[in-house]
Amino acid sequence: MKVLTTIFAGAAMLGLSACGGGSSYSSTRAVPQNAVLFATGPIYSACRSGGRSQASRARCGCVQAVANQSLTSSEQRRGAGFFSDPQQAQVVRQSDRASDERFWTRWKAYGDSAARQCT
């Protein structure tokens, strides 16, 4: 019995030492290149209900996942409205209001990021 306990303890120590102490992960929220992004939310729902042929479940889930990383929930809800009313996006883009300009800057950056990650 003592031999079995020693073997078990040795195996456990070997397993734990293989875990290493360092970390290869950065403190940023980097996503591995081969990761599949998917989430549901207001952008996903608007994307799926838009009736576009390229609005697959996977693509809409990806753009929602990128939105979760880039936009607040309020910004997501506001931007989701653009899917059903694209003219509203144009109104916001051309607005002189500071709050609209800030939103449009974030929305544009989100769109660029989603285009890179979800194609």
Side-chain angles (χ1 to χ4, degrees), residues 21 33-34 61 104 113-114 116:
Q33 277 188 316
N34 60 349
W104 189 256
S113 183
R116 278 191 312 277

Side-chain angles (χ1 to χ4, degrees), residues 88-107:
Q88 188 58 34
Q90 186 69 2
V91 168
V92 172
R93 187 181 73 79
Q94 293 178 331
S95 172
D96 290 333
R97 290 178 47 198
S99 60
D100 287 343
E101 290 177 17
R102 282 190 304 272
F103 169 75
W104 189 256
T105 299
R106 290 178 53 80
W107 182 258

Side-chain angles (χ1 to χ4, degrees), residues 50-62:
R52 294 174 179 87
S53 62
Q54 296 178 349
S56 68
R57 182 179 186 279
R59 180 164 290 153
C60 291
C62 181

Side-chain angles (χ1 to χ4, degrees), residues 4 8 11 14 19 33-34 38 45 50 55-56 58 63 71 78-79 85-86 108 112 114-115:
L4 195 60
F8 178 72
L14 181 63
C19 292
Q33 277 188 316
N34 60 349
F38 186 88
S45 297
S56 68
V63 296
L71 302 170
R78 184 177 185 187
D85 185 7
K108 178 86 171 95
D112 293 343

Side-chain angles (χ1 to χ4, degrees), residues 16-67:
L16 289 174
S17 67
C19 292
S23 174
S24 63
Y25 297 104
S26 70
S27 61
T28 62
R29 292 174 37 172
V31 177
Q33 277 188 316
N34 60 349
V36 176
L37 297 175
F38 186 88
T40 59
I43 302 273
Y44 172 84
S45 297
C47 176
R48 291 292 287 162
S49 66
R52 294 174 179 87
S53 62
Q54 296 178 349
S56 68
R57 182 179 186 279
R59 180 164 290 153
C60 291
C62 181
V63 296
Q64 177 66 57
V66 175

